[in-house]
Amino acid sequence: MLGLTERMDKELAGAFEKAGYDPALGKAVVSNRPDLCEYQCNGAMAGAKAYKKAPFMIAEDVKAQLSDTAVFSSVEVVKPGFLNLKVDEGFLADFLQEMDGDERLGARKAEKPETILLDYGGPNVAKPLHVGHLRSAIIGESLKRLGRFAGHRMIGDIHMGDWGLQMGLIITELRHRKPELCYFDDSFNGEYPAEAPFTISELEEIYPTASAKSKEDEAYKNEALEATGLLQQGKAGYMALWKQIMKVSVADLKKNYEKLNVSFDLWKAESDAQPYIPDMVEYMKNEGFAYEDQGALVVDVKQEDDTKEIPPCMLLKSDGASLYTTTDLATIVERMDDYDPDEILYVVDKRQELHFEQVFRCARKTGLVKKDTKLTFLGFGTMNGKDGKPFKTREGGVMRLENLIADINEEMFRKIVENRSVKDKEAEETARIVGLSAIKYGDLSNQATKDYIFDVDRFTSFEGNTGPYILYTIVRIKSILNRFCEEGGDLTGGRILPAQNASEKNLMLQLSGFGNAAIGAFEEKAPHRLCAYIYDVANAFNSFYHETKILGEEDASRKQSLIHVLILTRKVLENCIDLLGFSAPDRM
Ligand code: ARG
C-alpha cells in the first residue's frame, strides 16, 4: 500500500501538473512550523526559476487546483510561496484503517532487494565479552532486523576473533601449566580427547594471565608468537587444542548473546578465512600488487587525494604469519565466493576506521570485490561512564558484559517491586525484559557514530526518552484493551473514524509515519531515527490518553474507533521495538 506522504505527493503532483507545472515539484514534507500546519510543500519555490514566476503565484495556481481535494482539509499559501497543508481527518482515518489491515503497516518494500552481509558482534574467543562488544551486537542486530523488514536478504555473521595472538598466548600458557597434555606431544598420533582440558572460567583466567606475562617476558611473548604461527600453519596438536577452545567459548558466547536477544545466521570466525589466504597472497604477488618491504609483504593503498597518511596494507609479517588485515581480506574473498553480496557492512568500533580503510582500498584495488560491491564501515563511538571516560567497573577495570546486564536487571527489579507488589518470580522476569530495553534503547537512541554516556539512572527511568518509558506506554495500552475485553468489548468491531480533537489527530498523524521511519532508519543506517519516532508516538499517545475518555466513551462507534487507534498504536510500538531488538512484558 502507498504511504500517507506518497498519497499526498500524488495529490500535489496532480495539482502542479493541472496548473501547468512539473509534477515532480509536488512533494509533501513534514512541516517545520507545526504551529501553522502539519505538512508543507516547497515546490513553488523550487520551480520559480524555471518558470520565471514568483513562487507565490505558482503556489496560488496549485492551490486553485486543490479546491475539491479529499486529501487536505486546508491548503494555504504563505510568503514567499509555501503551501501549508493540513491533512483531512476523514482521509487520515481511512488511511489508518487500511494500515491496520496491512501486515507491513503501510511500510514500502525495497524495490531492489539486496544481499547484505552484516559483520557484527566480533567477539574474541576465550576473552570475556566486554562492553565494547555490546554496541556492535546491539546496533548490528537492529540493522539486521531493519534491513530484513525493508525487504533485503540480510546475512548476519558474528566473525569471531580466533586466529590471532590471543590463541598463541592461551596455547603457550597451557603448555607451561600442563606440559604433559597430548596436544604438546609432537610424537602423539592417537586420537585427541573429546573433553576440553579446561572450563570456561579457567579459560577466561588463562588469557589475561598470559597476556600480562607476555608484556613482561620477551621469551614468553616469542613463544606465543611462534605458537600463533604454528597454529595458522595447521600444526595438529595446536589445531586440536584450538578446537577445544572454540567449543568451550562458542557455547558460552551463544548463552550471552541469547540473553541480549541477539542472534547470528553465521557463526564464522577469522580462521575460516585461512584456506583462502595462500591463493589470495599468490594472486596479489603475481599481479604485482604485493611487494616485500623489510621482509613483510605489503600492498600500497595510498591515493593522491589523501589528506592524511594511509600506510600500506600488510598481508604477511616477516615470519609469514597473517594479520588482522590478512584475515579480513581473505574473509572478503570467502564472502564473495559464498554469497556474492551487494554490500558488506561492518559494525565495528570507529577506532578501527583506518584498518577498514586499508582493507577496503586493498580489496578494491586488487579486485577482490566487484566494482559495484559496496563495502561499508559503520564505526560506532565509545560507551562512556558518567565521568566521560570509557565505561569501567567501580574498581576501574574492564566491565564484563554479564556484570553490566546483571547490574541493570538488579536496578530494574528494585524499581519494579517498589512500584507495586508483583510476585517475585514475575518481577524478575519483567526486570530482565525491561532491563534489556533500558540497555538497548539507551544505546540505540544515540547516533551510532557518537560517543555516549551510559547512565544507569537515566536509562532505567520510567520517564523521559528511555526504553522503560516506551514499554510502560505499551503496557498501559495492553491494560486498557484488557479491561475493554473484560467489560465484554469486541476488538474486531467498528472502524477508525475521523479524529475529533488535536491530540487524537496528532497521534493519528504520528502513527501514519511508521513506514517512513522504519524504512528511513535502515536507509540511513540509523536506528536512532526509529527511536526518535517511537518516542514521538509514545508522547502523542500519552497526551491523547490523558485528554480522552476511552472506556467511558458513550457513543459506541466512537468508542470502537478509539479502541482501534489503541490497537494500531500498540502494533506500531511493538513492531518498532522488535526492529530495535527488544520486547515488552504484559505488565510492569
Ligand atoms: N574481533 C574484533 C575486535 O574485538 C572485531 C571484529 C570486527 N570485524 C571484522 N571483520 N574485523 O576488535
Side-chain angles (χ1 to χ4, degrees):
M1 71 181 265
L2 281 187
L4 191 81
T5 41
E6 291 160 310
R7 290 174 197 213
M8 290 193 270
D9 289 351
K10 252 177 94 176
E11 185 79 355
L12 290 166
F16 271 86
E17 188 159 36
K18 272 195 255 157
Y21 304 106
D22 182 358
L25 296 169
K27 286 245 173 301
V29 292
V30 175
S31 156
N32 53 22
R33 285 292 304 273
D35 52 326
L36 298 179
C37 58
E38 294 151 0
Y39 285 87
Q40 65 189 54
C41 171
N42 307 334
M45 264 96 67
K49 216 173 181 179
Y51 295 102
K52 297 203 180 64
K53 214 171 180 181
F56 197 80
M57 290 164 74
I58 300 180
E60 284 291 356
D61 291 347
V62 173
K63 180 184 165 175
Q65 298 299 331
L66 288 168
S67 56
D68 58 353
T69 175
V71 174
F72 303 110
S73 61
S74 119
V75 179
E76 271 176 26
V77 177
V78 293
K79 290 237 157 76
F82 295 106
L83 282 157
N84 282 359
L85 309 165
K86 283 190 182 150
V87 183
D88 181 82
E89 282 79 4
F91 171 75
L92 180 59
D94 290 347
F95 175 80
L96 292 190
Q97 180 70 35
E98 200 181 323
M99 183 176 158
D100 189 44
D102 179 37
E103 64 172 32
R104 298 182 55 74
L105 295 175
R108 62 185 183 276
K109 247 190 156 139
E111 275 163 34
K112 256 188 46 220
E114 297 193 333
T115 297
I116 301 174
L117 204 138
L118 188 60
D119 182 313
Y120 70 112
N124 299 311
V125 305
K127 294 195 208 173
L129 282 176
H130 59 78
V131 299
H133 293 111
L134 182 67
R135 297 211 73 193
S136 180
I138 293 179
I139 299 166
E141 179 70 21
S142 173
L143 288 173
K144 183 185 72 183
R145 291 169 183 231
L146 285 165
R148 233 166 240 170
F149 181 67
H152 300 292
R153 177 181 179 213
M154 304 297 294
I155 306 169
D157 181 2
I158 185 169
H159 197 74
M160 290 176 283
D162 70 338
W163 215 226
L165 181 59
Q166 96 261 32
M167 300 316 260
L169 284 165
I170 294 167
I171 293 172
T172 301
E173 182 58 23
L174 274 168
R175 200 170 58 182
H176 282 231
R177 290 186 191 186
K178 303 180 183 172
E180 71 286 357
L181 290 177
C182 58
Y183 304 98
F184 305 117
D185 177 359
D186 285 341
S187 59
F188 183 79
N189 51 18
E191 223 169 270
Y192 290 105
E195 278 297 299
F198 40 71
T199 62
I200 182 70
S201 9
E202 282 164 343
L203 200 53
E204 286 177 351
E205 171 269 320
I206 290 173
Y207 170 74
T209 309
S211 166
K213 275 195 197 172
S214 75
K215 281 180 191 123
E216 271 158 24
D217 184 343
E218 192 65 24
Y220 188 94
K221 181 170 184 187
N222 288 335
E223 247 179 85
L225 282 169
E226 196 195 329
T228 311
L230 289 171
L231 171 70
Q232 290 176 355
Q233 286 157 33
K235 182 180 162 82
Y238 288 5
M239 281 300 286
L241 197 51
W242 167 85
K243 279 198 188 119
Q244 296 291 8
I245 301 175
M246 288 302 279
K247 196 176 72 186
V248 172
S249 302
V250 169
D252 186 60
L253 286 172
K254 288 208 162 138
K255 213 177 61 202
N256 278 299
Y257 281 112
E258 223 160 82
K259 274 195 214 148
L260 282 174
N261 205 5
V262 168
S263 67
F264 301 92
D265 305 293
L266 304 176
W267 279 77
K268 292 248 173 194
E270 290 169 353
S271 60
D272 285 298
Q274 178 62 37
Y276 297 84
I277 293 177
D279 282 356
M280 179 183 81
V281 169
E282 253 329 280
Y283 162 80
M284 290 192 184
K285 277 204 267 193
N286 292 342
E287 296 294 311
F289 293 122
Y291 65 92
E292 258 185 49
D293 182 26
Q294 296 163 28
L297 195 67
V298 302
V299 176
D300 275 334
V301 291
K302 58 176 187 288
Q303 288 166 3
E304 264 174 33
D305 52 355
D306 284 343
T307 48
K308 62 174 193 285
E309 160 119 15
I310 308 283
C313 191
M314 249 223 243
L315 280 188
L316 294 178
K317 288 201 287 190
S318 49
D319 63 2
S322 50
L323 301 113
Y324 192 38
T325 33
T326 328
T327 51
D328 261 325
L329 285 164
T331 301
I332 291 180
V333 178
E334 182 191 4
R335 288 171 174 167
M336 292 307 288
D337 262 20
D338 289 352
Y339 301 102
D340 189 18
D342 298 291
E343 178 170 11
I344 309 179
L345 172 60
Y346 297 81
V347 184
V348 185
D349 193 314
K350 75 177 170 201
R351 286 169 290 193
Q352 293 192 23
E353 185 167 12
L354 177 60
H355 162 78
F356 282 98
E357 183 69 50
Q358 290 174 300
V359 167
F360 292 176
R361 285 187 182 194
C362 183
R364 284 219 180 283
K365 175 176 179 178
T366 62
L368 299 186
V369 294
K370 295 183 188 162
K371 275 212 171 57
D372 55 359
T373 312
K374 285 175 271 182
L375 296 171
T376 313
F377 174 65
L378 180 65
F380 52 79
T382 308
M383 180 173 139
N384 288 326
K386 270 187 176 166
D387 57 359
K389 300 209 186 86
F391 199 86
K392 291 265 157 64
T393 59
R394 255 175 242 126
E395 292 73 38
V398 175
M399 183 68 144
R400 287 177 63 154
L401 195 49
E402 278 174 278
N403 299 343
L404 176 88
I405 296 174
D407 284 359
I408 291 274
N409 288 355
E410 201 176 294
E411 178 63 16
M412 246 19 277
F413 181 78
R414 205 181 54 70
K415 284 198 172 144
I416 286 169
V417 289
E418 177 185 279
N419 256 10
R420 323 180 289 118
S421 53
V422 206
K423 273 193 263 99
D424 263 18
K425 194 75 210 137
E426 194 195 322
E428 254 174 52
E429 176 60 13
T430 307
R432 219 182 40 74
I433 298 174
V434 185
L436 191 59
S437 82
I439 297 176
K440 288 197 165 184
Y441 191 91
D443 188 302
L444 292 171
S445 55
N446 296 285
Q447 194 177 323
T449 50
K450 297 219 167 105
D451 297 350
Y452 77 98
I453 290 178
F454 192 89
D455 181 340
V456 180
D457 294 332
R458 192 166 77 72
F459 288 7
T460 57
S461 168
F462 287 63
E463 278 150 47
N465 191 6
T466 70
Y469 169 67
I470 305 292
L471 298 195
Y472 189 73
T473 307
I474 296 175
V475 167
R476 172 175 267 171
I477 299 175
K478 283 186 182 179
S479 100
I480 306 170
L481 292 175
N482 280 341
R483 245 187 303 144
F484 174 72
C485 290
E486 279 158 23
E487 291 168 7
D490 169 15
L491 293 177
T492 58
R495 59 176 293 122
I496 298 180
L497 302 173
Q500 289 193 358
N501 58 55
S503 69
E504 188 179 345
K505 185 173 188 190
N506 180 40
L507 173 60
M508 287 167 83
L509 281 171
Q510 288 294 348
L511 293 175
S512 74
F514 168 73
N516 281 346
I519 303 302
F522 181 70
E523 285 171 352
E524 288 170 31
K525 312 260 167 19
H528 75 278
R529 269 201 51 184
L530 194 61
C531 292
Y533 171 70
I534 41 178
Y535 185 50
D536 285 346
V537 172
N539 283 336
F541 171 78
N542 286 311
S543 336
F544 158 79
Y545 171 77
H546 287 297
E547 284 172 29
T548 315
K549 250 197 328 204
I550 299 172
L551 295 176
E553 171 60 49
E554 271 145 34
D555 178 336
S557 57
R558 166 134 174 95
K559 182 169 174 182
Q560 207 64 43
S561 167
L562 294 171
I563 289 295
H564 263 294
V565 172
L566 253 62
I567 294 174
L568 187 58
T569 308
R570 190 191 70 189
K571 273 196 216 169
V572 165
L573 290 176
E574 282 184 336
N575 266 282
C576 287
I577 62 171
D578 184 58
L579 291 171
L580 296 172
F582 56 93
S583 60
D586 285 328
R587 353 189 281 141
M588 266 163 93

